Amino acid sequence: MRAIVHFVGLDLRSMRPNAKYMLIPVLVVIVPVLLLLGPYMLIPAISGLAVVSAPSSLFANDELGRLDTLYTALGIRRRQVVAGRYATCLLLMIALTVAGVLLAPIAALALGTAFDWATAAALAAGSVALVGIFLASGLPAYFGLDPGPLRIVVSVLHVAVLTFVCVGWAVPEVRTALLAWLGDANLAWLTLAAFAILGVLMAASTALSTRLYAQRDL
Amino acid sequence: MSRTEHIVEALGLVKRRGEFTLGPLDLRVPRGFVTGMVGANGSGKTTTLRTLLGLVRADAGSVAMPPMGAVGVAFDQPFVLPYWRVRDAAEVYAASRPGWDQDWFDRLCRRFRLRADERVKELSRGQGNKLMIALAMGNHPDLLILDEPTSGLDPAARADLVDLLREHMRREDASLLFSTHITGDLEHFADYLVFVDNGQVVYSGALDELVERFAYVKGAPEDLTAQNTPLIRGLRRGQASFDGIIRTADSAAFGPGVHLETPTVEQIVVHHERRNDEEH
């Protein structure tokens, strides 16, 4: 556990100098989402950045600094690298989702629109589930494949699905139906079920990544 | 030498990469000594080191190594982020390496003329090597594994680095395994030698025994006979002379006019590789 916490610290340190560049996609996303889709959609949009920006930035750093060699030289085992990288991505996903939840009511206030915390909480839980699925499906590609077009294809697919979700929200009938469904559903059980499924997916994904990364020549 | 006297022991190591195959090779690094690994570019030195460290997955064989906390590693290119400063890299090592000695690292940086606030990307190739060596040595590891540590260094810096490594080796049980294609680095420094050629270990043993096992032979063309010519490795024929390397055991095949002398490591390596060129 200590090794994983240490690795997360190493990951965050490696991202620190590039943090300002990660603000650019945040700003690029916030303005059109806010104007076109309203404040609620800030939550999945900002949360989605975790899957678009974080893994690509972290793995790009690995290649830039030959950090796979560094991890070995520091005595960090491959399975600890995998577990640590998953922990970093999940941490960033949660942090960005919280940022989205905090920004959404401020945006609603600025735009003079109504804001319902229950809807925001449901969207936050849905965002975490969706982005979690993206991470679970995408990270094995980063661990198993050498840098190249296939990794980019995975990222593009994720952006496409995320865009599809956001655009779907823009359709009034879809939005009304989703809000009605959320209103009828038992949100506590729904959230619990979503997180249980996500937990299983993450465990399977981590196991696959560990296996793929163990077979790679670094 | 028993198993416990080797700090690294690899048995039956095989790694296939396209058409290149490393091994199968057995490699033993004696504890408390300097072992130099020599061979031409592309002979498999770096692949061997990376396989020992687990960076490259072996297709077959086993490796026994000390825990990585007791091993300092430096390759011929830095493996830290280029926009990190020297002190950032040191902080990362300090947080991970057991027994990190910051005073010692600072002394090494002063010796290598590295400033704490310098960014890695601003360092020359030689300075980058020095930084990685300082980081590798920062916790006084039992085993240092250095890949081409002197490449990119001027002669004075190379001599200084050898002096530093000698000082490191004064510590009881300190061991050093380093690869080089500069055979001059080995003379008067390495105790043991591993000569790798085309993915195979040609020689592994004491440096003194290597130079005793071979002789540098030089003579006039008329001294060459159908019997002794095949015994010469890397035979170089000139207008008035020939030279090459022979096994000391084959000395009797050459007449009194042929001059025999103790070879340098470079002569053995160069003539061996020339023989390979001729065969190919």
Side-chain angles (χ1 to χ4, degrees), chain A residues 6 10 13-15 17-18 61 64-70 72-76 78 214-218, chain B residues 15 17 50 53-57 68 73 75 77-84 88 91-93 95-97:
Chain A
H6 173 62
L10 196 55
R13 174 190 275 273
S14 78
M15 289 181 83
N18 290 333
N61 276 344
L64 181 68
R66 301 179 187 85
L67 298 188
D68 291 310
T69 303
L70 175 69
T72 301
L74 295 179
I76 304 171
R78 290 194 187 201
Q215 291 165 354
R216 259 182 70 193
D217 288 338
L218 305 176
Chain B
K15 178 65 192 176
R17 273 187 158 170
R50 293 187 80 84
L53 290 164
L55 287 160
V56 168
R57 313 304 288 180
M68 283 306 291
V73 180
F75 286 97
Q77 285 184 311
F79 45 84
V80 291
L81 282 167
Y83 47 75
W84 277 354
D88 294 326
E91 280 172 22
V92 166
Y93 268 67
S96 306
R97 305 276 287 158

Side-chain angles (χ1 to χ4, degrees), chain A residues 30-131:
Chain A
I30 280 179
V31 176
V33 166
L34 200 57
L35 295 177
L36 298 172
L37 305 172
Y40 286 125
M41 275 295 106
L42 279 181
I43 299 167
I46 293 177
S47 180
L49 286 174
V51 77
V52 176
S53 299
S56 58
S57 169
L58 289 165
F59 283 89
N61 276 344
D62 285 353
E63 286 138 34
L64 181 68
R66 301 179 187 85
L67 298 188
D68 291 310
T69 303
L70 175 69
Y71 305 146
T72 301
L74 295 179
I76 304 171
R77 294 172 189 276
R78 290 194 187 201
R79 57 184 162 76
Q80 292 169 333
V81 171
V82 173
R85 185 55 52 84
Y86 271 75
T88 305
C89 289
L90 288 174
L91 187 71
L92 288 170
M93 176 184 74
I94 291 165
L96 285 168
T97 306
V98 169
V101 170
L102 294 176
L103 275 176
I106 297 168
L109 195 68
L111 292 173
T113 58
F115 187 80
D116 173 40
W117 280 101
T119 305
L123 280 170
S127 301
V128 167
L130 185 68
V131 173

Side-chain angles (χ1 to χ4, degrees), chain A residues 15-27 57, chain B residues 83 119:
Chain A
M15 289 181 83
R16 207 189 306 163
N18 290 333
K20 55 180 179 287
Y21 301 113
M22 287 184 71
L23 282 176
I24 296 168
V26 173
L27 293 173
S57 169
Chain B
Y83 47 75
R119 289 191 192 278

Side-chain angles (χ1 to χ4, degrees), chain B:
Chain B
M1 204 173 271
S2 73
R3 185 181 175 86
T4 51
E5 288 174 308
H6 298 117
I7 195 157
V8 177
E9 186 166 23
L11 296 172
L13 210 59
V14 176
K15 178 65 192 176
R16 294 179 195 88
R17 273 187 158 170
E19 291 185 3
F20 176 79
T21 300
L22 175 76
L25 59 86
D26 295 341
L27 182 67
R28 293 175 183 86
V29 177
R31 188 185 299 274
F33 292 95
V34 177
T35 302
M37 185 182 282
V38 70
N41 290 333
S43 59
K45 301 187 299 292
T46 299
T47 304
T48 303
L49 296 183
R50 293 187 80 84
T51 309
L52 291 177
L53 290 164
L55 287 160
V56 168
R57 313 304 288 180
D59 294 316
S62 63
V63 176
M65 285 263 296
M68 283 306 291
V71 181
V73 180
F75 286 97
D76 66 342
Q77 285 184 311
F79 45 84
V80 291
L81 282 167
Y83 47 75
W84 277 354
R85 296 179 192 278
V86 169
R87 65 165 165 266
D88 294 326
E91 280 172 22
V92 166
Y93 268 67
S96 306
R97 305 276 287 158
W100 179 259
D101 184 344
Q102 188 62 39
D103 286 344
W104 169 232
F105 176 78
D106 291 341
R107 284 211 303 277
L108 288 173
C109 284
R110 280 196 293 277
R111 181 169 180 161
F112 289 151
R113 293 179 186 161
L114 294 167
R115 290 197 326 271
D117 61 348
E118 267 182 302
R119 289 191 192 278
V120 174
K121 66 181 175 187
E122 291 162 358
L123 301 176
S124 68
R125 184 173 174 217
Q127 281 182 307
N129 274 0
K130 288 173 180 175
L131 169 63
M132 297 318 293
I133 290 166
L135 290 167
M137 295 179 77
N139 72 330
H140 309 285
D142 292 341
L143 170 65
L144 266 178
I145 296 182
L146 309 177
D147 184 27
E148 302 281 0
T150 56
S151 65
L153 300 184
D154 58 61
R158 202 151 72 208
D160 184 48
L161 177 61
V162 171
D163 286 346
L164 174 67
L165 294 174
R166 275 186 214 279
E167 288 164 29
H168 172 78
M169 290 305 295
R170 278 190 209 131
R171 234 191 68 209
E172 197 182 343
D173 264 7
S175 308
L176 168 62
L177 169 63
F178 75 104
S179 75
T180 183
H181 64 276
I182 305 168
T183 47
D185 291 344
L186 298 161
E187 311 271 0
H188 314 299
F189 178 49
D191 305 299
Y192 288 85
L193 183 111
V194 178
F195 177 16
V196 184
D197 185 47
N198 199 25
Q200 301 292 321
V201 172
V202 176
Y203 175 83
S204 177
L207 189 66
D208 297 343
E209 286 174 21
L210 175 76
V211 291
E212 283 169 13
R213 192 180 287 189
F214 293 98
Y216 176 67
V217 61
K218 192 174 179 182
E222 55 269 25
D223 295 319
L224 288 172
T225 65
Q227 287 73 40
N228 66 21
T229 301
L231 303 174
I232 305 172
R233 293 162 186 238
L235 174 64
R236 186 166 52 184
R237 294 172 195 263
Q239 288 283 344
S241 66
F242 75 90
D243 71 342
I245 291 288
I246 61 163
R247 288 185 178 277
T248 313
D250 296 329
S251 301
F254 295 86
V258 176
H259 184 64
L260 296 173
E261 57 188 63
T262 304
T264 62
V265 175
E266 180 158 337
Q267 283 170 331
I268 296 171
V269 171
V270 166
H271 283 274
H272 184 91
E273 283 163 1
R274 184 179 298 142
R275 186 171 101 139
N276 276 352
D277 291 343
E278 288 162 3
E279 285 167 357
H280 294 150

